[in-house]
Amino acid sequence: MGAGDAADREFRKKTFSPQTLVAGTARFAQNIPRLIRARRADRVSDQFAEKIMLAVTAVNKCQYCTRYHTDLARETGVDRETITSILESDVDSAVDDDERPALLFAQRYAETNENPGREAVAELQRTYGEETAGDIQAFIRAIYFGNLLGNTYDGVRFATARRVEAARDATQQLSSRIGYGIDGLRERCPI
């Protein structure tokens, strides 16, 4: 097995550990009321919210969120080129000046594992006002949790498949060794 093979056999996406899953679920539950208020307030359009979701997903690479929010973004009228640019983390060419700060903040939030820094939060608030900035953060928190949940599911599936593969390989090796041993015995003790 070459060095490239070993790298291909590692799961490299951000996931929850058992401890961070508990903490992440608690943060998600605390975010639900804010997310509901954000949806009702309608300060962030559905189209803008989907772009924010895609910006976070571009960093975390959750295949389920990518598919789901790509479909939702298309339903809200976001064109394929914009979606592709956001998913390639090319926010500058994907959105206008009004949306860019939110999407850059969303990327930073994901890149820094939910710790974008006080100055970044303050800048988001200066740009959009406290209420809209809070709405943007509610969407970001929700999709970040969803991304890691999807990635964790994939990580568990990946680890399980690796264990099954390792057990199959070990069984085949044991079977071969037993077969060679039996063949050796037959050569020494013909019946």
Side-chain angles (χ1 to χ4, degrees):
M1 179 179 348
D5 294 337
D8 293 339
R9 298 165 93 37
E10 293 179 33
F11 192 81
R12 297 180 182 261
K13 294 179 185 179
K14 280 188 228 178
T15 60
F16 285 119
S17 68
Q19 297 81 12
T20 61
L21 178 60
V22 171
T25 302
R27 280 192 307 277
F28 178 74
Q30 288 174 334
N31 188 54
I32 290 173
R34 179 61 204 216
L35 186 61
I36 292 168
R37 285 195 306 274
R39 281 282 184 205
R40 288 183 181 157
D42 205 27
R43 287 180 284 263
V44 175
S45 72
D46 290 343
Q47 191 176 79
F48 188 21
E50 289 308 321
K51 290 175 185 176
I52 291 166
M53 303 278 196
L54 289 171
V56 173
T57 300
V59 173
N60 292 324
K61 309 278 188 225
C62 173
Q63 66 170 327
Y64 310 105
C65 295
T66 298
R67 280 195 303 263
Y68 182 69
H69 287 285
T70 293
D71 290 346
L72 287 179
R74 293 286 297 140
E75 287 176 20
T76 66
V78 181
D79 62 81
R80 289 184 195 278
E81 184 177 310
T82 299
I83 292 168
T84 299
S85 293
I86 294 170
L87 288 173
E88 292 174 351
S89 296
D90 185 10
V91 169
D92 288 328
S93 71
V95 297
D96 61 28
D97 291 340
D98 294 341
E99 295 176 338
R100 188 172 295 113
L103 272 65
L104 291 172
F105 178 86
Q107 287 177 327
R108 180 179 174 92
Y109 184 94
E111 290 165 351
T112 61
N113 299 319
E114 301 182 281
N115 190 16
R118 291 178 199 242
E119 183 53 38
V121 172
E123 182 61 29
L124 187 71
Q125 291 172 343
R126 282 191 294 274
T127 302
Y128 295 100
E130 274 192 49
E131 288 297 320
T132 302
D135 295 349
I136 290 167
Q137 288 175 291
F139 289 114
I140 292 169
R141 287 185 198 108
I143 191 63
Y144 187 87
F145 177 79
N147 286 172
L148 266 62
L149 200 60
N151 287 349
T152 300
Y153 173 72
D154 278 350
V156 168
R157 288 180 55 217
F158 181 84
T160 301
R162 293 283 311 275
R163 286 187 191 108
V164 167
E165 182 181 338
R168 185 177 36 242
D169 290 348
T171 302
Q172 287 173 346
Q173 288 176 358
L174 180 61
S175 176
S176 292
R177 288 181 181 162
I178 291 171
Y180 289 134
I182 290 172
D183 289 344
L185 284 174
R186 283 185 182 148
E187 286 175 13
R188 286 187 225 151
C189 305
I191 298 181

